Structure formats: structure tokens, C-alpha cells
């Protein structure tokens, strides 16, 4: 089990965020495509289209996990009720964070598997592989649920991709 917020998220000042965007996603698997399109449009708008492949894969996995594992199968969906899953994209000068909020308070669980041909079970492994860090935390106050996030480091303008600091 993962410890909330102990998974390496560097301190991020919410007041210093350069850009932020979010979208509500309905409780159906077609929402994964909606999340990809939203991510593409947002990254293009922020001139981060070159990061789309990695970010899109991670967003797809986080949204799929929220839809598959965080929503009770028999929960009633009332008309006009706010969609239960929300995707947030936040950009700082040198960081991009993708966060998916869902109503479950259960921690995400990584599964150990040697079967790399399996159809499922590797989502968090992919998130870990394609992002620079990820974690989760429960929602504050009376909101309930949790947020699962992934961090991507961004290059500074004029910085070479393989430069040593």
C-alpha cells in the first residue's frame, strides 16, 4: 500500500501555478477518450505538445483506474449529479502535474505481475515508468474520495534534453 503524499511530490506552491485546466468525466469508459482529447488540447494550448505521448498514456491509465476501481458498480447515477471523476492538469514553470479525483477512499494498489501479456494490471507500473513520480492523497475536508497524481518535469526554455545539472 502506498502512503499518501509520501511518494516524492516536490513542494508545489499553488499560488505559483502558471496554468491549470480541469474537466469532469462521466462514469463510462468512453470518458478515457474524452480525457485524451482534453489533454491534447490543453498541452497544445500550453505549447507542451511534444510531451503528449507520455502524458496521454499516464492520463489514460489514471482515468481508467478511477473508472474501473474507484466507482461502485451498482452506484446510482442521478441526472444532474456532478460526474464522479475529474481530471486536473496543472503547469508550473518546470513541472506538469496530472491529477485524477475519484470518490473512492481506497488507496491505489500496484500489482506485481510477471505476465506482461496480461490485458490489465499494469496501469500503475506504466504511470511509474512514464512519469517522473506519482502518488495519491485523500481529499481534504468533507469532500471524500482521493486524488491520484503524476508529475512530469519540464525543460526550461533553451535547455537541452540531456544536459547535466
Amino acid at each position: 500500500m502506498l502512503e499518501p503524499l509520501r511518494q516524492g511530490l516536490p513542494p508545489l506552491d499553488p499560488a505559483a501555478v502558471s496554468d491549470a485546466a480541469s474537466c469532469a468525466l462521466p462514469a463510462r469508459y468512453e470518458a478515457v477518450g474524452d480525457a485524451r482529447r482534453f489533454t491534447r488540447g490543453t498541452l497544445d494550448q500550453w505549447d507542451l505538445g511534444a510531451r503528449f505521448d507520455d502524458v496521454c498514456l499516464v492520463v489514460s491509465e489514471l482515468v481508467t483506474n478511477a473508472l474501473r476501481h474507484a466507482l461502485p458498480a451498482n452506484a446510482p447515477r442521478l441526472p444532474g449529479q456532478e460526474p464522479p471523476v475529474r481530471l486536473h492538469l496543472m503547469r508550473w514553470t518546470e513541472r506538469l502535474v496530472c491529477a485524477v479525483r475519484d470518490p473512492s477512499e481506497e488507496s491505489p494498489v500496484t500489482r506485481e505481475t510477471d505476465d506482461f501479456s496480461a490485458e490489465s494490471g499494469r496501469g500503475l507500473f506504466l504511470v511509474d515508468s512514464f512519469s517522473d513520480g506519482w502518488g495519491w492523497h485523500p481529499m481534504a475536508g468533507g469532500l471524500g474520495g482521493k486524488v491520484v497524481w503524476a508529475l512530469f518535469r519540464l525543460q526550461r526554455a533553451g535547455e537541452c534534453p540531456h544536459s547535466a545539472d
Side-chain angles (χ1 to χ4, degrees), residues 6 17 28 34 41 44 47 52 60 71 75 80 89 111 123 127 129-130 133-134 136 154 156 163:
R6 313 258 186 312
V17 68
R28 59 178 193 271
D34 296 340
D44 285 348
D47 199 27
F52 174 73
S60 295
L71 300 178
L89 301 173
R111 288 193 237 166
V127 170
S129 297
F130 283 86
W134 73 277
W136 74 280
L154 303 173
R156 290 179 227 150
S163 65

Side-chain angles (χ1 to χ4, degrees), residues 36 39-40 43-44 48-57:
R36 284 190 207 109
T39 300
R40 164 63 83 191
L43 293 182
D44 285 348
L48 295 174
R51 296 302 307 264
F52 174 73
D53 290 338
D54 290 349
V55 173
C56 181
L57 177 106

